[in-house]
């Protein structure tokens, strides 16, 4: 088991009780609770059904911490609701690329798994094949913005960054965190544009 997992469990348990933490968009839906852990056999069956190997850090999270619930945005999707996507081909220079879930194997492109509910056509995915394997990306399935590749090395680092920034009471547009000061007086403060 990855040694970061017990630390993440402790940090997540403490978040709701920290009075000066950031507000996390969608926290009302998941309430900082994780769903039940997934059995190894359940995860292996999902991998076999989709002919993929889940990135190790994400896989360990599902098996040892929880299979759904607390995460940035509206929460970690249950594995059975996760879907494979591919990034749309490059269009005109400097135009954003979206994600497509129709026949992802037919494109011959790198595969991404939609793992977190963001709302509307925005998606939070983890790369399961290709050079970005294990990295978390956020974007818009229609290509209105993004994709934005997280600098975190893997899912556990990305998740811990969310907890750390929230605990410190920081603003973070990429993780949709709002500091207590900004949350209390949204008209007095302006956040930086989302890149």
């Amino acid at each position: 088991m990855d040694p970061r997992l017990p630390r993440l469990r402790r940090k997540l348990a403490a978040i709701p009780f920290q009075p000066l933490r950031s507000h996390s968009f969608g926290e009302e839906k998941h309430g900082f609770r994780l769903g039940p852990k997934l059995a190894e056999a359940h995860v292996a069956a999902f991998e076999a059904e989709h002919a993929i190997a889940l990135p190790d850090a994400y896989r360990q999270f599902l098996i040892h911490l929880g299979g759904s619930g607390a995460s940035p945005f509206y929460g970690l999707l249950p594995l059975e609701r996760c879907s494979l996507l591919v990034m749309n081909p490059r269009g005109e220079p400097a135009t954003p690329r979206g994600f497509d879930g129709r026949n992802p194997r037919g494109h011959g492109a790198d595969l991404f798994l939609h793992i977190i509910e963001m709302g509307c056509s925005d998606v939070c995915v983890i790369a399961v094949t290709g050079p970005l394997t294990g990295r978390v990306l956020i974007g818009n399935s229609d290509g209105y913005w993004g994709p934005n590749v997280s600098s975190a090395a893997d899912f556990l680092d990305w998740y811990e960054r969310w907890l750390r920034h929230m605990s410190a009471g920081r603003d973070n547009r990429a993780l949709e965190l709002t500091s207590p000061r900004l949350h209390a007086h949204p008209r007095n403060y302006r956040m930086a544009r989302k890149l």
Side-chain angles (χ1 to χ4, degrees), residues 8 11-13 15-16 18 21-27 30-34 61 69-76 116 150 152 155-170 172 174-178:
L8 291 177
K11 286 182 175 185
L12 178 60
I15 285 291
Q18 296 178 345
R21 69 169 173 83
S22 295
H23 172 78
S24 180
F25 175 78
E27 70 182 51
H30 56 72
F32 299 109
R33 291 180 305 277
L34 290 171
F61 187 96
S71 77
F73 316 110
Y74 288 117
L76 194 62
I116 293 177
S150 172
F155 180 79
L156 295 178
D157 283 347
W158 180 81
Y159 196 89
E160 188 163 26
R161 179 181 295 164
W162 172 62
L163 294 172
R164 188 175 55 248
H165 286 211
M166 193 176 352
S167 180
R170 295 173 60 182
N172 184 317
L175 295 173
E176 289 290 339
L177 294 177
T178 309

Side-chain angles (χ1 to χ4, degrees), residues 63-77:
I63 293 169
H64 298 290
L65 285 185
S68 63
S71 77
F73 316 110
Y74 288 117
L76 194 62
L77 292 167

Side-chain angles (χ1 to χ4, degrees), residues 110-127:
D110 299 335
L111 295 173
F112 300 87
L113 188 66
H114 181 198
I115 59 169
I116 293 177
E117 184 64 43
M118 290 181 68
C120 299
S121 59
D122 294 343
V123 293
C124 181
V125 300
I126 190 166

Side-chain angles (χ1 to χ4, degrees), residues 56-135:
D56 188 56
Y58 174 64
R59 191 176 206 281
Q60 286 200 40
F61 187 96
L62 297 176
I63 293 169
H64 298 290
L65 285 185
S68 63
S71 77
F73 316 110
Y74 288 117
L76 194 62
L77 292 167
L79 196 54
E80 55 274 2
R81 287 192 41 218
C82 293
S83 56
L84 286 175
L85 305 171
V86 293
M87 194 178 300
N88 293 336
R90 264 194 210 285
E92 295 296 316
T95 58
R97 297 168 70 183
F99 291 89
D100 187 1
R102 294 172 302 212
N103 190 19
R105 294 277 183 202
H107 291 281
D110 299 335
L111 295 173
F112 300 87
L113 188 66
H114 181 198
I115 59 169
I116 293 177
E117 184 64 43
M118 290 181 68
C120 299
S121 59
D122 294 343
V123 293
C124 181
V125 300
I126 190 166
V128 294
T129 64
L132 295 175
T133 297
R135 303 278 295 278

